[in-house]
Amino acid sequence: GSHAVLPYNHWLRLLPAHLQQLDMESNGKSVNRDGEPVSYTTGPIVWGGEGTTGQHAYHQLLHQGTRFVSTDFILPLTPHHKRLEHHNWLVANCFAQSQALMLGQGPKQIPGDGRTKPHRVMPGNRPSNMILMDQLTPETLGALIAMYEHKVFCQAMIWHINPFDQWGVELGKQLGEAVHTRLTGEVHSPAFDP
């Protein structure tokens, strides 16, 4: 139901917002291609952000929260700058976060027997993907976007929904026109639902 995209690269910081639009606008449907209601969940809530920023924002929920959130870690292995020690720490953090989600930490791995021990247990077995590329280039960025577009299309085919319409968005636009005319006084229109 929820999918986080965590690029460990400053130049990919807006990728989660693009994928949010791609996935949620395409597959946020409640009827199939035949117009019949679906009896299953379609389209996850897609969110995320720059990996290291997320470590101080929402990674806690990923590691110990009660909701399962699938996660994509995205990492270019070669930077476009010469601060190699900085990049090595970035790579280390990306791999470590993925490893922590996968393996977790059981009570026997935590030293001592204090009151904080239960709070430091992490279940692990949290779903994640590690998407690596040699370096971020126009070609690797195109391949990354194409991969996500193909994923969304394949999900739509499996769910038997049409990913190419956005009738929910259209309704909001139509209602917005009526609100706008009321706000500007262009046309007298009936009162709105309070």
Side-chain angles (χ1 to χ4, degrees):
S2 182
H3 183 72
V5 178
L6 308 174
Y8 275 71
N9 181 282
H10 181 70
W11 299 111
L12 291 173
R13 69 190 178 280
L14 298 178
L15 181 65
H18 171 73
L19 298 179
Q20 183 178 62
Q21 181 273 329
L22 167 68
D23 205 319
M24 294 170 70
E25 189 173 48
S26 298
N27 288 343
K29 307 292 169 61
S30 58
V31 296
N32 66 22
R33 290 192 309 244
D34 301 323
E36 300 164 344
V38 297
S39 60
Y40 42 84
T41 301
T42 63
I45 296 169
V46 178
W47 57 281
E50 204 166 354
T52 52
T53 303
Q55 288 178 202
H56 303 286
Y58 40 76
H59 280 228
Q60 175 62 36
L61 180 135
L62 298 176
H63 290 291
Q64 289 183 302
T66 57
R67 301 170 191 257
F68 273 115
V69 177
S70 60
T71 307
D72 286 349
F73 292 93
I74 302 171
L75 178 66
L77 296 171
T78 304
H80 285 283
H81 56 76
K82 301 208 184 303
R83 295 181 307 277
L84 294 183
E85 185 59 17
H86 170 78
H87 187 71
N88 288 340
W89 276 111
L90 193 68
V91 171
N93 274 280
C94 183
F95 283 127
Q97 291 295 318
S98 175
Q99 182 181 16
L101 286 173
M102 179 178 66
L103 298 176
Q105 176 175 261
K108 293 180 181 175
Q109 297 170 284
I110 302 168
D113 59 356
R115 292 176 42 201
T116 64
K117 195 170 193 169
H119 302 279
R120 295 167 60 199
V121 169
M122 285 169 249
N125 198 28
R126 303 290 173 127
S128 71
N129 297 307
M130 179 66 70
I131 301 169
L132 303 174
M133 61 188 78
D134 289 331
Q135 189 172 45
L136 181 61
T137 65
E139 291 82 10
T140 58
L141 178 60
L144 185 65
I145 291 171
M147 178 195 73
Y148 278 107
E149 287 179 351
H150 187 66
K151 176 200 78 129
V152 168
F153 176 76
C154 289
Q155 287 175 321
M157 294 305 101
I158 291 168
W159 292 328
H160 192 60
I161 59 176
N162 181 0
F164 301 112
D165 65 40
Q166 290 85 35
W167 296 114
V169 175
E170 290 302 316
L171 174 60
K173 289 178 183 178
Q174 291 169 6
L175 295 173
E177 287 181 26
V179 172
H180 183 267
T181 58
R182 177 80 174 184
L183 289 173
T184 60
E186 292 175 25
V187 175
H188 179 71
S189 58
F192 296 117
D193 181 337

